[in-house]
């Protein structure tokens, strides 16, 4: 993980309710939290507006705020850390992996192949955790190429 990703994961996996109550009750805290996460987990070089419009960020904050779902977004981290979710032992389905340089994790191919049947492993030249929004063309091309071999 990069750029403080471990701290965020630790916080979400050990104290999700502390975050949940504060973010669900603060119309200023929730967007501040989200903006910081988008800045830290994207390939924006510190300039958030180079990747995300204000409308996009406000839409994301609104989705969490009006649905009151920020706490449920932390549950997977917490459940995995507490052993409530079983670890995946092996996935034999052909798997394509796209690694974006500013993503939270970038596991080496050898590690990924221990769990997945990796048939395509692509190191992308740019992009981050929100690759579908940041680099939709790169992601679409990689998806197309990965499925091409399975026609």
């Amino acid at each position: 993980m990069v750029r403080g990703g471990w701290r965020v994961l630790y916080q979400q996996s050990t104290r999700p309710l502390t975050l949940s109550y504060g973010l669900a009750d603060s119309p200023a805290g929730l967007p501040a939290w989200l903006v910081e996460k988008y800045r830290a987990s994207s390939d924006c070089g510190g300039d958030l507006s180079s990747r995300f419009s204000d409308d996009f960020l406000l839409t994301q904050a609104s989705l969490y705020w009006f649905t009151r779902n920020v706490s449920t977004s932390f549950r997977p981290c917490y459940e995995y850390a507490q052993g409530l979710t079983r670890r995946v032992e092996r996935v034999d389905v052909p798997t394509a992996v796209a690694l974006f340089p500013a993503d939270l994790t970038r596991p080496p191919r050898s590690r990924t192949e221990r769990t997945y049947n990796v048939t395509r492993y692509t190191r992308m030249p740019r992009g981050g955790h929100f690759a579908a929004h940041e680099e939709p063309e790169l992601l679409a091309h990689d998806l197309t190429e990965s499925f091409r071999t399975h026609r």
Side-chain angles (χ1 to χ4, degrees):
M1 294 194 174
V2 294
R3 298 187 200 154
W6 281 114
R7 288 188 301 272
V8 172
L9 179 61
Y10 181 78
Q11 195 171 29
Q12 290 177 348
S13 63
T14 59
R15 297 180 306 276
L17 292 179
T18 303
L19 289 172
S20 298
Y21 296 139
L23 297 177
D25 196 41
S26 174
L30 178 63
W33 169 266
L34 292 173
V35 163
E36 192 276 327
K37 297 305 157 237
Y38 273 91
R39 180 175 287 120
S41 303
S42 68
D43 193 12
C44 71
D47 179 11
L48 202 57
S49 64
S50 70
R51 292 293 189 164
F52 308 102
S53 69
D54 289 345
D55 278 349
F56 175 82
L57 295 168
L58 287 171
T59 298
Q60 300 308 305
S62 295
L63 287 170
Y64 282 111
W65 183 259
F66 293 121
T67 62
R68 297 295 208 199
N69 279 334
V70 74
S71 62
T72 58
S73 72
F74 301 150
R75 292 293 304 184
C77 292
Y78 176 77
E79 290 175 2
Y80 187 75
Q82 301 305 310
L84 301 173
T85 302
R86 286 187 321 153
R87 293 181 186 270
V88 174
E89 297 297 325
R90 179 77 187 155
V91 176
D92 291 318
V93 174
T95 304
V97 177
L99 291 159
F100 291 85
D103 200 351
L104 296 173
T105 61
R106 293 184 308 276
R109 185 174 184 143
S110 60
R111 179 173 164 214
T112 306
E113 287 175 337
R114 282 185 237 143
T115 305
Y116 298 94
N117 175 18
V118 177
T119 57
R120 183 176 175 84
Y121 187 89
T122 309
R123 290 187 180 276
M124 295 296 186
R126 59 193 177 278
H129 185 65
F130 308 100
H133 186 83
E134 295 176 72
E135 296 294 340
E137 294 84 13
L138 281 176
L139 183 58
H141 175 75
D142 199 63
L143 285 167
T144 300
E145 291 304 310
S146 68
F147 281 106
R148 188 178 312 281
T149 61
H150 302 288
R151 287 184 184 193

